[in-house]
Amino acid sequence: MFLNTIQSAEGATHSSRRVGRGIGSGLGKTGGRGHKGQKSRSGGFHKVGFEGGQMPLQRRLPKRGFKSLTYALNAEVCLSELALVAVDEIDVLALKQAGLIAANAQNVKVIASGKISKAVTLKGIKVTKGAKVAIEAAGGKVEE
């Protein structure tokens, strides 16, 4: 099989409709465009959502919500995931190398989800109150 020999399955393609070719075709005279009006004319079109001059729906409805541009730069790490890091002194680079956070992450926060038994030292990483208590209880410390 070669790319130039590939064909569509039988019945998958249909010949295009030939409009304006006489009464017998069923699509003669107006050619399926109806009578008069902008849509019946050649070149007669308007942009998507145009309502004939009436205020369009997307402008009648209120603007809502917000999409943060820094959303992708923030990352969360669970307490239980800290045990997966091989080194005891954990920073953002160590978490990236362990594959726990995305490569483009800049702001990292440890949340109190799961348990930690290994003593680790966190550097340059934000920590929730509950996570800080758990880390210090396991013999680790948090340096910000």
Side-chain angles (χ1 to χ4, degrees):
M1 181 187 285
F2 297 100
L3 285 175
N4 64 335
T5 60
I6 296 174
Q7 291 182 327
S8 299
E10 192 69 39
T13 58
H14 305 279
S15 54
S16 60
R17 219 171 245 189
R18 297 185 70 219
V19 297
R21 293 294 181 275
I23 299 168
S25 70
L27 287 168
K29 197 188 170 201
T30 54
R33 287 173 175 260
H35 293 279
K36 299 186 181 177
Q38 187 176 19
K39 290 168 102 179
S40 72
R41 322 239 183 245
S42 67
F45 76 97
H46 42 71
K47 59 187 170 191
V48 175
F50 184 70
E51 297 182 20
Q54 175 176 302
M55 188 63 68
L57 181 66
Q58 78 272 15
R59 290 190 59 200
R60 287 197 303 257
L61 298 175
K63 291 197 273 186
R64 188 169 180 276
F66 168 75
K67 199 161 261 203
S68 174
L69 297 173
T70 60
Y71 177 78
L73 305 177
N74 300 327
E76 283 184 355
V77 179
C78 299
L79 280 174
S80 53
E81 292 175 333
L82 290 179
L84 302 174
V85 182
V87 293
D88 292 333
E89 205 167 277
I90 299 173
D91 58 352
V92 177
L93 187 65
L95 292 172
K96 286 180 182 179
Q97 288 172 342
L100 294 176
I101 60 172
N104 64 344
Q106 291 177 359
N107 308 318
V108 182
K109 193 168 202 174
V110 178
I111 57 172
S113 176
K115 294 180 181 174
I116 187 166
S117 55
K118 180 175 144 182
V120 293
T121 306
L122 297 181
K123 284 192 174 180
I125 296 174
K126 293 178 183 172
V127 185
T128 62
K129 287 179 187 174
K132 188 172 185 176
V133 170
I135 289 167
E136 289 171 352
K141 61 180 179 176
V142 177
E143 297 174 11
E144 289 192 39

